[in-house]
Amino acid sequence: MRDHDLVFMKNFAQVIAGLVLITVVLILAGIYFNGKRPAEVTPAQQAATQARIAPAGAVYAGQTGAAAQAAAVAAAAEAAKGQVAYGGTLDGGEIYGQLCAGCHTSGAAGAPKLLKAEWGARLAQGNDLLHKHAIEGIRAMPARGGNPSLTDEQVIATVDWMIGNLK
Ligand code: HEC
């Protein structure tokens, strides 16, 4: 080979080496910048985030607000209906302890305590009417003691338990 061929080979080799270096640098830069991108958010993660940051309550104002509030209360009652209260127990004593005692043991809001003296006139109405009043509510006595997920049978069992445990 002649001299200028050697010079060409040398320069050419340097150019190739330079290009290889640039390629490697670009690949490394690509990997580096790809790592900087935020991870993709899956729909499930997004839903979880939305659920976490959702407001705990809602503000209702004006006429539309009143309607929205009524709808929310109705929806909550509807949802509660589907649930089984206190594991579906028909043990009146247990339901009484969990719910009714809140008013009927202390006499809160004028609730009759479990004393014969406070039930005379009520018992005279007959048990059917007592059941009905406990299920539908009467004056300060909320329907189903305030738990709409109680079944009729559960309320009746609880009323019967109360009647049987008057002192
Ligand atoms: C928020 C308080 C409260 C809770 C909770 C409550 N009661 Fe009452 N209950 C009352 C009040 C007040 C009365 C009296 C209503 C009246 O006659 O003016 C009453 C009355 C009754 C009566 C008599 C109704 C009548 O016709 O005289 C029965 C029966 C009764 N409650 C059953 C229950 C049962 C069963 C539960 C639980 C499932 C329960 N209550 C939970 C407040 C409550």
Side-chain angles (χ1 to χ4, degrees):
M1 273 200 275
R2 285 203 295 276
D3 253 9
H4 60 264
D5 283 341
L6 270 178
V7 169
F8 169 78
M9 290 304 283
K10 203 174 144 202
N11 287 349
F12 189 64
Q14 275 173 355
V15 167
I16 294 291
L19 288 174
V20 166
L21 191 70
I22 289 172
T23 306
V24 169
V25 166
L26 285 176
I27 288 173
L28 291 179
I31 292 173
Y32 173 75
F33 286 115
N34 192 42
K36 289 245 155 190
R37 284 175 55 219
E40 249 178 62
V41 181
T42 67
Q45 282 173 319
Q46 202 166 16
T49 307
Q50 284 302 334
R52 265 200 311 278
I53 64 174
V59 178
Y60 300 114
Q63 289 235 308
T64 44
Q69 190 172 25
V73 169
E78 199 57 42
K81 256 190 213 159
Q83 291 163 1
V84 186
Y86 312 118
T89 179
L90 287 178
D91 178 348
E94 181 173 339
I95 298 173
Y96 177 84
Q98 302 243 26
L99 176 63
C100 322
C103 293
H104 283 275
T105 296
S106 62
K113 296 188 217 169
L114 295 192
L115 301 171
K116 283 201 178 93
E118 299 193 18
W119 282 82
R122 298 182 191 276
L123 290 176
Q125 306 175 94
N127 288 3
D128 286 349
L129 203 54
L130 289 179
H131 293 157
K132 182 170 166 342
H133 288 162
I135 291 169
E136 295 175 359
I138 178 169
R139 291 176 287 266
M141 163 70 198
R144 295 172 202 276
N147 185 342
S149 58
L150 276 176
T151 64
D152 287 3
E153 289 72 33
Q154 285 180 306
V155 177
I156 290 170
T158 312
V159 173
D160 291 345
W161 181 90
M162 288 166 73
I163 294 170
N165 283 273
L166 299 178
K167 303 242 162 52

